[in-house]
Amino acid sequence: MLSVVTNNDYAGEISGQGDKVIIRTVPTLQINDYSSGQNLTSQRPTASNIELLIDQGKYWQAVVDDVQAVQADIDLMNMWSADAAEQMKIAIDTAVLGGIAPDVSADNKGTTAGRISNNINLGTTGSAIALTKVNVIDYILDLGQTLDEQNVPETGRWVILPAWACTLLKKSDLKDASLTGDGTSVIRNGRLGMLDRFTLYSSNLLPHVTDSTFDTFSIFAGTKDAVAYASQLTKVETLRAESTFGDIMRGLNVFGFKVRKPEAIATLYAYKG
């Protein structure tokens, strides 16, 4: 999931936990008026670099007992390593998605979102949005307007939805193929596709809390430029166990993330209505 919704061009620069990755930012150029024959004024664009600290890590370790290995008719090490890789991905995705909400621009969340309009209700603690099949499309459109008012580019926009919200979409008017431009109804082919310039993704890893008895989720919309993320599997090793007859397998994955463009990500705080 993170590979398609974040800027992750920096993984190759990581050697271990505690590293710092320097993110080169793009300066904003000034646009000037022009009259025929006038002298032009040159700018000297500058932009401060951003430091991405690789300050988090997760590991796994398991013992393959010698007796267990002899009796097994499959390669336990390879099987467990494959499962560890999948569980590692889930753990890191959960950590990153759970850590970005506080850094979203104040204009892109809450009951008065919208940098220009200030009247888009995206929900807040104690006043979450009840999403239904009737209104789910409207709120995705509101996320689009929120990004529009921040002049966020339309290319590469995404929305991450919990599975239940994807089901609401499939039961909504999205089943009309004209809303996706696919030419085939979503209700028939099972593909969410595009909606209002957003590519729609489903994830079970979005942060959620109990709010007024409702299981309430932070639903994110943005572009890849919003969050910088870097991850590297730095250690994978096998060694003999000291306290038993068997082999120890273990791996270490270090990572870091940072909301580098708070205006390029928005949050809808909602529960299943």
Side-chain angles (χ1 to χ4, degrees):
M1 175 62 69
L2 294 180
S3 63
V4 293
V5 300
T6 65
N7 186 339
N8 45 80
D9 298 334
Y10 316 101
E13 302 178 31
I14 301 173
S15 60
Q17 193 168 7
D19 284 357
K20 289 183 180 179
V21 176
I22 305 300
I23 302 173
R24 292 158 290 282
T25 60
V26 178
T28 300
L29 296 182
Q30 179 181 334
I31 305 300
N32 305 305
D33 293 329
Y34 176 75
S35 299
S36 179
Q38 78 171 64
N39 292 330
L40 304 183
T41 301
S42 295
Q43 303 174 55
R44 295 185 179 275
T46 59
S48 58
N49 291 331
I50 298 174
E51 287 188 351
L52 175 60
L53 180 61
I54 309 303
D55 58 349
Q56 300 191 47
K58 292 187 180 294
Y59 79 93
W60 61 273
Q61 178 169 298
V63 176
V64 180
D65 188 89
D66 287 347
V67 174
Q68 187 180 21
V70 170
Q71 294 177 345
D73 59 356
I74 56 177
D75 188 336
L76 292 179
M77 280 198 170
N78 285 338
M79 183 179 69
W80 290 1
S81 294
D83 182 69
E86 183 62 26
Q87 298 307 318
M88 181 70 76
K89 176 180 176 297
I90 291 172
I92 293 177
D93 281 14
T94 300
V96 175
L97 291 173
I100 60 181
D103 294 325
V104 173
S105 168
D107 289 323
N108 292 5
K109 59 185 177 182
T111 57
T112 57
R115 186 176 64 87
I116 298 172
S117 61
N118 298 124
N119 63 1
I120 303 172
N121 184 7
L122 297 179
T124 192
T125 302
S127 185
I129 301 297
L131 282 186
T132 68
K133 68 178 184 179
V134 175
N135 66 17
V136 63
I137 293 177
D138 290 339
Y139 280 103
I140 292 177
L141 297 179
D142 285 343
L143 287 169
Q145 180 185 339
T146 301
L147 296 182
D148 288 343
E149 294 191 12
Q150 292 279 19
N151 295 318
V152 174
E154 297 184 1
T155 303
R157 290 189 184 186
W158 49 260
V159 174
I160 306 175
L161 299 164
W164 57 262
C166 293
T167 299
L168 292 178
L169 272 173
K170 292 175 183 179
K171 293 179 178 179
S172 74
D173 287 338
L174 190 65
K175 61 181 177 288
D176 178 357
S178 65
L179 287 177
T180 63
D182 290 342
T184 303
S185 171
V186 189
I187 205 72
R188 293 200 305 273
N189 68 15
R191 177 179 177 272
L192 290 177
M194 302 281 295
L195 177 63
D196 187 36
R197 302 157 293 169
F198 288 118
T199 299
L200 306 177
Y201 296 99
S202 175
S203 175
N204 293 323
L205 308 179
L206 288 168
H208 56 105
V209 298
T210 300
D211 187 346
S212 302
T213 74
F214 298 110
D215 193 14
T216 308
F217 289 70
S218 294
I219 295 171
F220 298 113
T223 70
K224 291 188 71 168
D225 288 336
V227 179
Y229 161 71
S231 175
Q232 191 84 308
L233 185 63
T234 58
K235 294 285 185 182
V236 178
E237 56 190 19
T238 303
L239 60 156
R240 288 296 291 175
E242 294 184 358
S243 58
T244 188
F245 292 104
D247 292 322
I248 294 176
M249 302 183 304
R250 61 189 182 190
L252 172 65
N253 204 128
V254 299
F255 65 99
F257 65 93
K258 188 170 190 175
V259 177
R260 58 187 294 260
K261 287 190 175 181
E263 71 278 7
I265 188 168
T267 307
L268 172 63
Y269 187 67
Y271 62 91
K272 184 179 180 181

